[in-house]
Amino acid sequence: MIDLAPPCEGCRCATGAGPVQPAGTPFAAIVAHGQPGDPGALQPELEALAEKVQALMPGWTVRGATLACRRSLSALAGVQLIFPQFMADGWFVRSETPRRLAEAGVEGAQLIAPLGLDPEMPVIGAKAARDAARAARIDPAGATLVVVGHGSKGSRASANSTRAFAEALPGGAGFAHVTTAFIEEAPFLSDVVPQGPAVCLPFFATNGGHTIEDIPQGWHGHGPITPPIGTIGDIPRLIAAALQKAATTAEVAGG
């Protein structure tokens, strides 16, 4: 029986028992930041994502957890591979995630490269942007694509990852112009005024306050907004492939 952390106030972890991992199966987890002020908000999204990934990986156990919900982390005892559902390889991935896992009693897991650094991301993002333009009857060849990232006043990791993604979009995703903006550093999304038609592509891993409130407010209705790239339909396949690749070079039980 896993000794789970106390339930978070208002989180669905308060009503569910800890998941049971079948003995001898490869065990992986997808870990995202979550919302500290509302730990239950993103847990269903991570669990649903994990179920989709597990369906693509017969014989594996795949769970979803957030740093905001210590109970969800405690339920990962014995996990072998961690897929960081983050957009940059910064402090949260390198330092805070390992610390939170250790604090929850989870040790020995291998963290692989985060979502935002996967080389398939620009292809997925380009398709999402073109689909949004097409749905709005916008010709990308005469429009601007604005890739919006989180940004930070204290670290360059988020901005660097966002810009690298934007620069790697194949053929600029077919748009006349591609630019970047941020929520928490300049150039701020709220200051962007596209010349002509435009599409906004949130370079975010999950749904949350930034994608639900800050981006629509800061975008000022300049054009369509795609779903956060980390929630797009091709992401489960990408995660499954990344875990399978990591398992070939790691000592993963049953892999």
Side-chain angles (χ1 to χ4, degrees), residues 2-248:
I2 299 172
D3 184 16
L4 296 175
C8 308
E9 183 178 353
C11 181
R12 65 184 274 167
C13 76
T15 60
V20 177
Q21 177 216 353
T25 63
F27 185 14
I30 304 164
V31 176
H33 183 273
Q35 295 184 186
D38 186 7
L42 289 178
Q43 190 59 33
E45 180 179 324
L46 264 293
E47 292 171 2
L49 175 60
E51 289 176 1
K52 292 177 181 178
V53 173
Q54 181 170 301
L56 298 172
M57 303 178 70
W60 283 66
T61 297
V62 182
R63 304 296 184 197
T66 70
L67 299 185
C69 176
R70 185 168 179 265
R71 186 179 175 88
S72 72
L73 296 177
S74 297
L76 301 182
V79 69
Q80 296 152 308
L81 293 175
I82 298 283
F83 184 89
Q85 188 77 348
F86 288 83
M87 304 314 294
D89 192 19
W91 177 78
F92 272 107
V93 172
R94 292 177 176 270
S95 299
E96 189 63 0
T97 296
R99 186 189 74 80
R100 298 277 187 94
L101 287 168
E103 188 179 68
V106 180
E107 298 180 351
Q110 175 188 339
L111 271 72
I112 66 176
L115 175 67
L117 272 59
D118 193 287
E120 282 199 50
M121 289 292 280
V123 175
I124 293 174
K127 181 179 183 301
R130 289 193 299 268
D131 288 348
R134 187 179 302 111
R137 298 184 178 181
I138 293 173
D139 179 5
T144 297
L145 175 61
V146 179
V147 178
V148 57
H150 188 281
S152 170
K153 296 178 181 178
S155 169
R156 306 311 312 145
S158 175
N160 289 344
S161 180
T162 304
R163 291 190 174 105
F165 165 81
E167 291 170 2
L169 289 167
F175 284 76
H177 306 284
V178 178
T179 188
T180 54
F182 303 94
I183 299 300
E184 296 197 358
E185 69 173 86
F188 294 101
L189 179 64
S190 58
D191 294 332
V192 172
V193 181
Q195 300 301 309
V199 173
C200 179
L201 173 58
F203 190 62
F204 282 75
T206 59
N207 274 304
H210 287 315
T211 58
I212 295 172
E213 298 177 2
D214 297 336
I215 290 176
Q217 291 173 6
W219 183 233
H220 300 308
H222 292 307
I225 303 174
T226 75
I229 191 169
T231 68
I232 289 173
D234 286 335
I235 296 301
R237 177 187 55 79
L238 179 154
I239 296 174
L243 289 171
Q244 291 279 19
K245 182 178 179 179
T248 63

